[in-house]
Amino acid sequence: NMWNDIVRTNSMDRFIATHNAAVKENPNDWILYEKYAEILEAAGQYESAIQQWSAITNLFPVFEMPYFKIGNLLDQGGNSSDALKYFESALKINPESAESLSGIGLCLLNLQKYNEAITVLKKAIKIKPTFAAAFVNLSLAYANLGMMNEAKNQCELALKVKPDYAPAYINLGKYYASEGNSELSLSNYINAAKAEKFNPIVYYNLANAYARLGMHKEAITNYNKAIELKPVFGEAILNLAIELSVSGFEQEAFKKFEEAVDLMPKNPDALFNYGIACAKKGDYNRALINMEKAAALRPDNPQIHYNIGLVYLRLEMKKKAVEEFRKVLQINPSHKEAQLQLNRINSVF
């Protein structure tokens, strides 16, 4: 498999070099620029792709597509304010472009200008009433404004025009989850997985929905599917470890906790859970190292300090344990277990 990767990368590099040479020889052939830009985009070389689309805007200033493509690439790269300018240029060239309006709407969403986004996305839908993506973007704007019924309604409208549209099911799943309706959340994620079989995020969300319902076996199956599709999916590996641990598969869980920390060394949940797993194994020093890292990232979390206190007790470092239990009570004065531990230590002294 390793050799396949090398061959594929080399052929992609050769492909890019060939197109680069062709563009230099034919600097006025916009079709070559377009093909080259698409190849660079597929190779994940977004900045170079933007340069090629820009070359077309110089050759043909009144051609809408390159502005739209640059807008998309900038927005994907997290540069929504610059992307906005390119979508607006595309819209000036073609004021009836629902796609450019939707692009503007998405940028405004990312810039947290939700009311402006709603206005623009409604215009896009008026021009193109079958535009499922615009309905879903509109639903996100409403959700961010706390208008959950309207948000759900827009997803339902997206599914009317495009019955197998996974993003609509995914967002419905999220909305129902946020309202505590685990059953409806689950059924929407199941539909999303049917519609989009190769999307790791879909299986991750589906697994989370099963986990919320205490359906551990199903959760484990779907976390594994997500990881199969995206082997470095840290959050899925962490949640899989938690489910394995809850289901009594401690050995497998330990390995996954370790993997999660390797992938996400600054994730407090990964560090804390790995710390707990180390403590269960009796490796209190390693437990302490990871829990202390988690506490540094989340100093106001009483449970982290409580568990650090327990580890210090195991290491017979009572003074340190007392400090941690006191921290717990500073954060949460009604933490009964911490108070109980302090009373026990004091009665022993």
Side-chain angles (χ1 to χ4, degrees):
N1 188 34
M2 182 176 82
W3 302 116
N4 290 345
D5 284 349
I6 289 170
V7 171
R8 192 165 65 241
T9 310
N10 284 345
S11 64
M12 183 54 109
D13 287 346
R14 230 183 0 254
F15 206 32
I16 288 171
T18 307
H19 274 79
N20 190 17
V23 162
K24 279 183 178 156
E25 277 173 38
N26 306 278
N28 295 320
D29 187 339
W30 70 268
I31 290 176
L32 273 178
Y33 283 113
E34 185 187 351
K35 287 274 173 285
Y36 188 27
E38 282 168 357
I39 290 160
L40 289 165
E41 213 171 301
Q45 297 185 24
Y46 298 140
E47 277 182 33
S48 303
I50 287 171
Q51 284 170 5
Q52 303 312 312
W53 289 120
S54 296
I56 303 176
T57 65
N58 293 332
L59 286 172
F60 292 106
V62 291
F63 186 26
E64 171 198 0
M65 185 182 59
Y67 294 102
F68 178 76
K69 293 280 192 180
I70 294 169
N72 263 337
L73 289 169
L74 288 169
D75 195 38
Q76 278 167 25
N79 190 348
S80 298
S81 36
D82 280 350
L84 197 54
K85 293 168 199 162
Y86 281 94
F87 285 127
E88 281 167 352
S89 298
L91 193 67
K92 272 201 188 97
I93 295 163
N94 177 8
E96 289 297 296
S97 167
E99 283 74 16
S100 294
L101 281 163
S102 183
I104 291 169
L106 197 52
C107 288
L108 292 167
L109 249 181
N110 293 335
L111 295 166
Q112 299 181 346
K113 297 181 174 179
Y114 304 121
N115 287 307
E116 288 175 48
I118 288 169
T119 307
V120 172
L121 289 163
K122 279 183 175 172
K123 269 188 205 165
I125 290 165
K126 203 171 179 186
I127 292 168
K128 191 177 176 184
T130 58
F131 199 174
F135 282 111
V136 168
N137 289 339
L138 189 51
S139 97
L140 289 169
Y142 283 122
N144 278 297
L145 291 170
M147 300 165 71
M148 297 313 287
N149 285 337
E150 200 43 62
K152 286 185 286 197
N153 183 35
Q154 294 303 323
C155 285
E156 298 292 356
L157 290 169
L159 290 166
K160 268 205 177 107
V161 297
K162 197 172 181 185
D164 282 339
Y165 194 50
Y169 285 123
I170 291 170
N171 283 304
L172 279 171
K174 281 182 187 161
Y175 301 152
Y176 283 118
S178 73
E179 292 176 345
N181 192 333
S182 301
E183 278 83 5
L184 271 176
S185 173
L186 176 65
S187 66
N188 278 289
Y189 285 132
I190 289 171
N191 285 332
K194 281 179 194 160
E196 218 168 281
K197 290 182 175 67
F198 301 103
N199 184 339
I201 302 289
V202 171
Y203 291 109
Y204 173 68
N205 285 321
L206 180 53
N208 287 341
Y210 278 125
R212 277 193 293 272
L213 287 164
M215 297 168 75
H216 305 299
K217 199 174 145 198
E218 291 83 354
I220 288 168
T221 302
N222 284 285
Y223 284 130
N224 276 320
K225 280 185 187 169
I227 295 159
E228 218 172 282
L229 291 164
K230 185 183 172 186
V232 292
F233 198 160
E235 291 85 353
I237 292 167
L238 173 60
N239 286 4
L240 171 62
I242 292 167
E243 287 301 302
L244 287 167
S245 178
V246 168
S247 305
F249 302 110
E250 291 297 350
Q251 279 300 108
E252 288 177 51
F254 186 82
K255 280 183 202 154
K256 294 295 170 193
F257 280 128
E258 213 163 18
E259 223 177 292
V261 166
D262 283 343
L263 284 170
M264 307 184 295
K266 287 195 163 58
N267 181 310
D269 294 325
L271 290 160
F272 177 60
N273 280 292
Y274 181 45
I276 296 274
C278 291
K280 281 184 187 171
K281 276 193 125 162
D283 188 346
Y284 299 121
N285 288 315
R286 204 191 308 182
L288 206 51
I289 289 165
N290 285 284
M291 286 184 190
E292 293 279 13
K293 283 182 186 169
L297 292 161
R298 282 222 186 111
D300 294 336
N301 185 313
Q303 277 316 102
I304 297 175
H305 290 292
Y306 178 69
N307 279 282
I308 292 172
L310 292 182
V311 173
Y312 277 129
L313 275 186
R314 288 293 168 103
L315 291 166
E316 295 186 4
M317 297 167 74
K318 291 206 170 76
K319 219 173 171 178
K320 286 275 197 187
V322 167
E323 275 175 34
E324 292 301 322
F325 295 136
R326 282 191 181 142
K327 276 182 198 167
V328 174
L329 291 168
Q330 270 170 2
I331 300 163
N332 175 11
S334 57
H335 197 293
K336 289 194 184 89
E337 292 92 342
Q339 191 59 64
L340 200 66
Q341 293 294 348
L342 277 177
N343 294 346
R344 270 189 198 145
I345 295 168
N346 290 333
S347 69
V348 172
F349 281 140

